Amino acid sequence: VRVGSQSVCASHLCGVRRSACVGDGSVGRRRSTIVRAAVDGEESAAELTKSAEERMLKSVESTKANFNTIRTGRANAGILDRVVVNYYDTDCAINTLASISASSATTLTIDPYDKSAIAAIERALMEADIGLTPNSDGNVIRLTIPQLTQERRKELAKQVKGLAEEGRVAIRNIRRDGVDKVKKLEKDGDLGKDQSKSVQGDIQKLTDKYIKMIDGATSDKEKDILTV
């Protein structure tokens, strides 16, 4: 083939055309890679938001469970949730070794599944520092819940505030962790600036939501404690 004043091999021209085609394909592949990265970034952000919410919910549930371990002057099996019994050299939660029920407004009854564990359960109750003295008849253990003085009620209310703050701090830490990961996605180019800002806003809304839940549970528990 003659191009201008020079003779050019047809196969050479075909090679040039093929190279051009290959070049166009590589551009397409690069564009495809960018699109996939953007989609992956969005999916990662969604997963981060979902994970943050699940962890925040668990923090609320944990805080409420801790509230239940604080006695209010009324029999509540929840006050024994953190009692651990050494049973044949194995630490076991007391509620796995016995049925626990409120036999009256001021009495908890602990009925061990294995009666030989009564001594170990009594010892665990004494060491748990819950302010209650176990009374055993050899078959069941009874705990009498004394009426709380006003001073003691105030002390317990302060404990509730402390547990609530621990829950709030846990939720704020989850928010910070989530926001940091979102910012990293943005920095790595996997998430756009506007998307990053939107996801961070979603995480903040979740933070406000679950802290509000802790505030509500705290108010209810304080009312329960301070009501004579």
Side-chain angles (χ1 to χ4, degrees), residues 13-71:
L13 286 177
C14 291
V16 171
R17 292 192 183 97
R18 283 197 297 272
S19 296
C21 292
V22 170
D24 291 341
S26 65
V27 170
R29 286 194 295 274
R30 284 197 297 272
R31 287 174 179 169
S32 177
T33 299
I34 292 171
V35 170
R36 283 200 304 272
V39 171
D40 290 343
E42 291 176 4
E43 291 178 347
S44 296
E47 291 170 359
L48 283 174
T49 304
K50 181 181 178 182
S51 174
E53 180 164 22
E54 290 174 348
R55 292 168 62 196
M56 287 180 185
L57 178 58
K58 287 180 180 179
S59 292
V60 172
E61 292 173 344
S62 177
T63 299
K64 288 181 177 179
N66 287 335
F67 285 170
N68 288 336
T69 65
I70 297 179
R71 61 190 181 90

Side-chain angles (χ1 to χ4, degrees), residues 62-105:
S62 177
T63 299
K64 288 181 177 179
N66 287 335
F67 285 170
N68 288 336
T69 65
I70 297 179
R71 61 190 181 90
T72 61
R74 290 178 290 280
N76 174 11
I79 65 175
L80 303 182
D81 282 352
R82 289 191 284 185
V83 175
V84 176
V85 181
N86 186 294
Y87 181 64
Y88 291 106
D89 294 326
T90 301
D91 289 338
C92 305
I94 189 171
N95 55 18
T96 65
L97 299 177
S99 65
I100 304 171
S101 60
S103 52
S104 72

Side-chain angles (χ1 to χ4, degrees), residues 107-209:
T107 304
L108 281 177
T109 299
I110 303 168
D111 188 0
Y113 303 125
D114 176 5
K115 302 306 180 183
S116 68
I118 282 185
I121 293 174
E122 283 186 282
R123 183 164 54 254
L125 290 168
M126 294 293 290
E127 295 174 351
D129 193 27
I130 55 176
L132 301 174
T133 302
N135 181 16
S136 170
D137 64 5
N139 288 308
V140 298
I141 299 171
R142 292 181 176 82
L143 295 172
T144 300
I145 314 298
Q147 286 298 312
L148 299 174
T149 64
Q150 192 61 26
E151 188 64 27
R152 180 57 177 161
R153 291 178 188 277
K154 290 179 181 179
E155 291 175 1
L156 293 176
K158 286 180 66 175
Q159 287 184 28
V160 169
K161 288 182 182 294
L163 292 172
E165 186 56 27
E166 289 177 8
R168 294 188 195 98
V169 168
I171 289 175
R172 293 189 192 108
N173 286 340
I174 294 168
R175 178 193 63 79
R176 185 178 65 241
D177 180 54
V179 168
D180 286 347
K181 289 178 179 177
V182 171
K183 288 181 177 178
K184 186 176 187 304
L185 286 175
E186 180 185 350
K187 182 179 179 181
D188 293 343
D190 295 328
L191 200 64
K193 184 176 181 180
D194 290 343
Q195 291 171 311
S196 173
K197 185 176 181 181
S198 176
V199 175
Q200 291 180 54
D202 290 341
I203 293 176
Q204 182 59 54
K205 288 177 183 177
L206 290 174
T207 302
D208 296 340
K209 172 185 174 181

